[in-house]
Amino acid sequence: GQPRLVPAVKVLCLWGQYFHRGHNVSGACQLQEGPLPPSCITQPLQLTVDGQTLPPQSHTHPGITNFTVPASQASRLLIRCEVTCATAHSSCDVMMEAGSPPSPPPSPECVIPHDSDNIICSWEPDPPATPPASLSLYLTSTRQESPKVMPLQPGSVRVLIDRSAYVSHSNLEVWVSAWNQLGSARSDVVFFNPAHIKKPPPPVFSHSELDGSDLTVLWNMIQDNA
């Protein structure tokens, strides 16, 4: 008669949404539900990538089979985990997109406005990463045991460091870190003393003089006594 199908068998794809282009990709296939018939126990799971079947690499847990996909320059990979034997058949698919770790963010430049004690750090925008990168600014000083971490919105190029977050009259270290599913990177560390980065008040216009075709503009500098 016809072989009896086992509908309780279910396969789970343990693969990420992105892969690092040009690098090997590791993942796994898992039997999530249901016992297999005896005829399927020996090697129940197989992997196909864009239609090509790959051999398993290892078994780390009952029902989980690990695979490694060789480095690829493709922009997408179609991953299929499946159990297929005489009496059972089930599969799952994942479409993975090529990406790369974020590049190191540019080094931040930090100043204290003349009318504030807060530090403003900014940096040049970086090209968007795939997958999108999360950002954090790290701040530490010679008087702090561990850095303060300030999570930022993706694509941020500016952050305000409140006066309560840093120690005055001590050398500070600041850097920006970026990370996504494929890796991480950080900017160069910037060293400075808050006393040396305070901007002076803007000059105040005094008057101008026009002598023929020559224009002379005069202004006064304001002393900052803060």
Side-chain angles (χ1 to χ4, degrees), residues 44-117:
L45 290 167
Q46 72 176 24
L47 182 79
T48 57
V49 180
D50 292 338
Q52 179 182 359
T53 302
L54 297 180
Q57 185 181 30
S58 63
H59 304 271
T60 55
H61 187 275
I64 297 180
T65 305
N66 300 301
F67 295 89
T68 296
V69 179
S72 172
Q73 295 296 332
S75 58
R76 290 182 175 84
L77 292 175
L78 176 59
I79 304 288
R80 167 167 288 187
C81 294
E82 59 184 332
V83 54
T84 174
C85 59
T87 55
H89 185 274
S90 182
S91 65
C92 63
D93 293 335
V94 173
M95 181 66 77
M96 301 183 69
E97 296 184 30
S100 61
S103 57
S107 299
E109 296 183 1
C110 302
V111 298
I112 300 178
H114 73 93
D115 56 354
S116 173
D117 289 326

Side-chain angles (χ1 to χ4, degrees), residues 84-152:
T84 174
C85 59
T87 55
H89 185 274
S90 182
S91 65
C92 63
D93 293 335
V94 173
M95 181 66 77
M96 301 183 69
E97 296 184 30
S100 61
S103 57
S107 299
E109 296 183 1
C110 302
V111 298
I112 300 178
H114 73 93
D115 56 354
S116 173
D117 289 326
N118 301 326
I119 298 175
I120 296 177
C121 293
S122 59
W123 52 93
E124 293 296 321
D126 234 5
T130 302
S134 298
L135 296 173
S136 287
L137 182 130
Y138 288 75
L139 168 71
T140 188
S141 75
T142 53
R143 302 183 188 181
Q144 293 174 328
E145 294 182 359
S146 59
K148 294 182 181 292
V149 183
M150 303 179 184
L152 307 173

